[in-house]
Amino acid sequence: MRRLEAAESDRSALHVRLGLAAEIVDTVQRYSGSVIGHARSAGASWEDIGSAAGKTAAMARARWNSAQLTRLFSPVRVPPPGRPGRTGTSRHGVALTHPQAFGEALTHLAQVSGLAVAEAARRADLPPTELLRVLDGEVVSPWPVAHMLTTVFGGDPREVRIVWEGAQGIRRSSRRPAGEAAEELRRALRGLRLAARNPSPMDLSLSARLGVALVEGVFAGTVLPDWHTTAALASAMGADPEILRGTWELAAEVPYPPTGSPGAPSVP
């Protein structure tokens, strides 16, 4: 919405404003689908959903049945007008290797913090215009600045690091102890989730075709995911799974029960 308001104020090209409007519509549709998916999982009937949405039960079922929700949250989509497509882009965000991914992660943290851009810029000792360029994905700041901005917005730099590295085209070394790699894998997945605009477990379960409980367990640290789960989550969040392979292979050396098994211990 902030970008659309700025584009309207600047009287940007029509295709740019329409593209930004299409993104807002897409976000609203995904939010509605997510809410209804949760309601169905909790036992709500189509009559209940139709009544809440001002539709008949048949209309509600036709619009939000499981097949429609799966299609809505599919990781493959046609980009809206005015926004070039990017390899690996998910419904929830932008490709990890694109500079805008880091801006998306910071933007989400900024929204959660409620901190005004001017105040955040003052705390980070940056011109507000420079901070806006970072948030809009026009530039990727050096790591010391990125670390400071993440901290200013109340985030964990260890989680954001992989997004910053991806935007810079950096591949991290896989030479780490297995226990450390397991924790790093969890932080990396959380970082990808930030860059994907923090999709809910239900959203991710639909996009990645995984169980909601499994997705929740991975992000809570109670489940160490197998490679299929790791790759599916990374792809659903717009990232190339291969950036996590080295870390996952080391983490997999930790003697945990299989993914999703009852009583799986927390990742250390």
Side-chain angles (χ1 to χ4, degrees):
M1 182 63 74
R2 182 188 64 194
R3 293 192 183 100
L4 180 58
E5 291 174 351
E8 186 66 31
S9 177
D10 294 341
R11 304 304 299 171
S12 298
L14 180 60
H15 76 276
V16 172
R17 286 179 283 160
L18 289 176
L20 292 170
E23 288 190 358
I24 294 173
V25 171
D26 182 67
T27 298
V28 171
Q29 289 176 340
R30 286 188 288 106
Y31 172 77
S32 298
S34 177
V35 168
I36 289 168
H38 278 291
R40 287 290 293 164
S41 297
S45 68
W46 286 117
E47 287 74 14
D48 295 334
I49 292 172
S51 176
K55 302 178 182 298
T56 65
M59 292 170 64
R61 182 186 295 108
R63 181 169 183 178
W64 293 299
N65 60 49
S66 58
Q68 293 290 356
L69 289 182
T70 298
R71 187 177 301 112
L72 179 64
F73 290 100
S74 170
V76 179
R77 72 166 185 167
V78 177
R83 192 73 173 268
R86 304 185 182 99
T87 302
T89 302
S90 77
R91 295 195 67 82
H92 307 298
V94 299
L96 180 67
T97 53
H98 193 279
Q100 192 177 351
F102 179 66
E104 292 284 2
L106 279 186
T107 295
H108 176 73
L109 290 174
Q111 291 172 342
V112 171
S113 72
L115 201 61
V117 169
E119 175 60 19
R122 185 191 67 77
R123 295 185 187 184
D125 195 24
L126 290 174
T129 53
E130 182 176 340
L131 175 54
L132 278 174
R133 293 185 67 203
V134 174
L135 294 175
D136 288 341
E138 295 178 15
V139 297
V140 179
S141 53
W143 177 243
V145 177
H147 187 289
M148 180 186 301
L149 288 173
T150 303
T151 303
V152 165
F153 288 129
D156 185 342
R158 295 171 299 180
E159 294 179 0
V160 174
R161 177 83 188 195
I162 191 171
V163 183
W164 179 85
E165 288 177 352
Q168 296 278 30
I170 297 173
R171 291 295 181 101
R172 59 180 57 195
S173 169
S174 60
R175 297 179 180 178
R176 294 176 303 286
E180 180 182 321
E183 175 65 16
E184 185 173 319
L185 177 65
R186 181 161 63 99
R187 289 173 180 153
L189 286 168
R190 286 178 172 175
L192 300 187
R193 190 177 179 185
L194 281 176
R197 305 172 193 168
N198 204 40
S200 70
M202 174 62 77
D203 293 348
L204 288 176
S205 87
L206 290 168
S207 294
R209 301 178 185 274
L210 299 170
V212 178
L214 173 56
V215 173
E216 291 175 340
V218 169
F219 285 102
T222 58
V223 173
L224 185 67
D226 59 19
W227 176 244
H228 169 77
T229 302
T230 302
L233 285 172
S235 295
M237 294 185 291
D240 178 358
E242 290 302 315
I243 66 172
L244 298 176
R245 186 178 285 276
T247 302
W248 177 85
E249 288 177 347
L250 282 176
E253 296 177 6
V254 180
Y256 287 108
T259 296
S261 61
S266 300
V267 175

